[in-house]
Amino acid sequence: MDVVTADVIGDIALVLGASYVFGALARRVGQPTVVGQIVAGIALGPSLLGRFPGHLSHRLFTTDAVPFLSVVAQIAVVVFMFGVGYEIEPRSIRNNRKPVLLIAIGAMVVPLALGAAVALGVEHVGAFDGHHTVGRSFLLYMGVATSITALPVLAAIVRERGLAGSVVGDVATSAAGLMDVLAWLVLAVALIGTKGAGSRPWSEMALLLVLFVAVMFLVVRPALQWWNRRPGSVLVSQVPIALLLATAGAWATADLGLHPIFGAFVAGLAMPKPEGAADAEVLRSTEQTGGLLLPLFFVVTGLTTNIGALKGEDLALLAAILVCSIGGKFAAGYATARLAGMDNRRSTMIGALVNTRGLTELIALNVGLRAGIIDGRLFTILVLMALITTAMTGPLITAIHKRDATALGIPDRAAATGALDPS
């Protein structure tokens, strides 16, 4: 076994062990596992481990090993993004059409506009020495970065807090799914013309993206539906088809000059669902793959994140981004839920839930960094924003439960465990 192979295997063991410990600690304090895994990735990078004598971070994650870890991490992200697209339920969106549409549009457009305003401010003051792409790409990208919602993390919080099957849980999850679709489409447009998009002109790239989506939904999806309806042709498991579709879609968009995650996400949307519901085995397989390999993605992210390098003006920008992202998302979610006819409690919970970002945000940030839209300092600021907004969701939901428990005379312990009626 050569030295690089041994280093890669050792790094994988270290990452899996650290992510398990930090994930368990996160669950102990009432946070989603992904929060602990993100912290683990940051801790193994220059922000913490790299500050010890001997450059431990560089010695453990060598320049020869990191590219191999990045490839495995990208495969994990491709499978994960397929699962995100596959988990979106159009039927649930149709069942709650009015609140879902209002909340999705409001909680997407308002923070997107605020994020674009922050981008204008960054360009106006000349922050980061111009090491980002100015104009359309940067404006759209910053809008997406402040407006994205992490559907998988939100869905996990909904299940853990006893909100699954409730009006709040269904509406928040469906709105997050719709916002994911809108966010990835806007991000795809933002990437057109950047260094990550190849040499094709933006008009050609836009046309190819539209053609790819059309082929997936008008050719591939009907073909799979026809195959599954044939007598005796239904496979024992849909997992091989799902993995084939995910990797083929990722390859197609990568070949077009876009990031592979777009192809995987669209493939997940296009994958037929038996009897209108997502196949539990497919979802379980994508989640297990993500649970095993995604910690490598967090470490690759952490190696690029250096919190210690941030200066006073960087922290001021972080504060401004937090105000825009949290305020815009929470306020828009609450206001549009009220506009849709929900009461104050449900609307407050909707606002808190759609503010979750987590892993989906980190994927978007890595895409922007690779495309040259943002630099390392702005990347670190946005990673901190993603971590803070994800970590605050659980305590907010608990606080809402406790407030309602106090008003109804319910013991605090029952409120803290989500025992209130979530309907």
Side-chain angles (χ1 to χ4, degrees):
M1 182 182 295
D2 61 81
V3 176
V4 175
T5 302
D7 286 344
V8 171
I9 294 174
D11 287 342
I12 291 175
L14 173 63
V15 170
L16 294 181
S19 65
Y20 175 80
V21 172
F22 278 79
L25 290 174
R27 291 194 300 273
R28 288 289 297 272
V29 297
Q31 290 290 343
T33 302
V34 69
V35 170
Q37 292 176 332
I38 294 172
V39 173
I42 294 174
L44 290 173
S47 297
L48 180 60
L49 193 62
R51 302 183 72 84
F52 285 89
H55 303 287
L56 289 179
S57 183
H58 290 294
R59 292 180 64 183
L60 289 172
F61 301 97
T62 64
T63 54
D64 291 329
V66 168
F68 292 96
L69 296 176
S70 298
V71 170
V72 178
Q74 287 301 314
I75 294 172
V77 169
V78 164
V79 176
F80 171 81
M81 287 305 300
F82 175 88
V84 171
Y86 186 65
E87 196 171 8
I88 294 174
E89 291 283 0
R91 181 174 56 184
S92 182
I93 296 175
R94 289 193 297 268
N95 292 342
N96 302 283
R97 185 180 294 108
K98 181 180 177 181
V100 168
L101 289 177
L102 283 174
I103 293 167
I105 294 173
M108 180 76 189
V109 172
V110 172
L112 192 148
L114 292 174
V118 171
L120 288 173
V122 168
E123 292 188 350
H124 179 70
V125 300
F128 309 110
D129 302 321
H131 292 165
H132 59 264
T133 305
V134 298
R136 171 188 55 82
S137 292
F138 187 60
L139 292 176
L140 288 176
Y141 180 81
M142 286 297 292
V144 171
T146 53
S147 62
I148 206 166
T149 295
L151 172 60
V153 180
L154 185 152
I157 293 174
V158 165
R159 289 192 296 268
E160 292 170 1
R161 299 286 168 161
L163 298 172
S166 68
V167 173
V168 168
D170 287 346
V171 170
T173 304
S174 300
L178 187 55
M179 282 187 281
D180 265 358
V181 175
L182 296 174
W184 293 118
L185 288 176
V186 174
L187 185 56
V189 174
L191 283 179
I192 296 175
T194 66
K195 72 177 185 181
S199 58
R200 292 189 177 97
W202 74 268
S203 56
E204 182 180 344
M205 288 293 300
L207 178 60
L208 289 173
L209 178 62
V210 171
L211 286 175
F212 170 74
V213 175
V215 168
M216 292 300 292
F217 280 93
L218 300 180
V219 179
V220 176
R221 180 182 176 87
L224 289 175
Q225 289 174 328
W226 170 80
W227 178 261
N228 286 335
R229 286 195 300 264
R230 292 182 61 203
S233 64
V234 179
L235 297 175
V236 175
S237 172
Q238 292 291 307
V239 174
I241 294 296
L243 293 177
L244 173 62
L245 199 59
T247 51
W251 168 81
T253 51
D255 192 58
L256 294 178
L258 293 171
H259 199 280
I261 62 167
F262 297 114
F265 180 72
V266 173
L269 289 173
M271 176 82 176
K273 299 178 176 65
E275 300 179 359
D279 189 307
E281 187 182 6
V282 172
L283 284 178
R284 184 169 59 252
S285 298
T286 56
E287 290 172 357
Q288 288 174 343
T289 302
L292 180 63
L293 298 178
L294 278 174
L296 298 175
F297 172 76
F298 296 129
V299 167
V300 172
T301 300
L303 293 176
T304 318
T305 304
N306 190 354
I307 298 174
L310 297 181
K311 302 176 182 178
E313 60 266 28
D314 302 327
L315 298 178
L317 179 58
L318 171 61
I321 291 175
L322 284 172
V323 169
C324 292
S325 58
I326 297 173
K329 203 75 170 175
F330 183 89
Y334 173 84
T336 48
R338 292 288 284 170
L339 187 63
M342 293 188 174
D343 59 29
N344 183 67
R345 181 175 71 89
R346 290 178 177 175
S347 300
T348 305
M349 294 184 74
I350 291 287
L353 286 169
V354 298
N355 192 47
T356 305
R357 287 174 176 83
L359 174 57
T360 311
E361 174 79 13
L362 294 186
I363 294 173
L365 297 183
N366 276 274
V367 171
L369 182 65
R370 288 174 176 269
I373 300 178
I374 57 175
D375 64 6
R377 288 167 62 195
L378 186 51
F379 176 82
T380 299
I381 290 172
L382 292 172
V383 167
L384 288 176
M385 181 270 288
L387 182 59
I388 292 169
T389 53
T390 304
M392 67 185 292
T393 302
L396 274 176
I397 297 299
T398 298
I400 296 167
H401 275 314
K402 287 186 175 181
R403 183 195 64 186
D404 294 335
T406 301
L408 297 173
I410 298 174
D412 284 347
R413 184 176 180 182
T417 57
L420 285 172
D421 177 14
S423 62

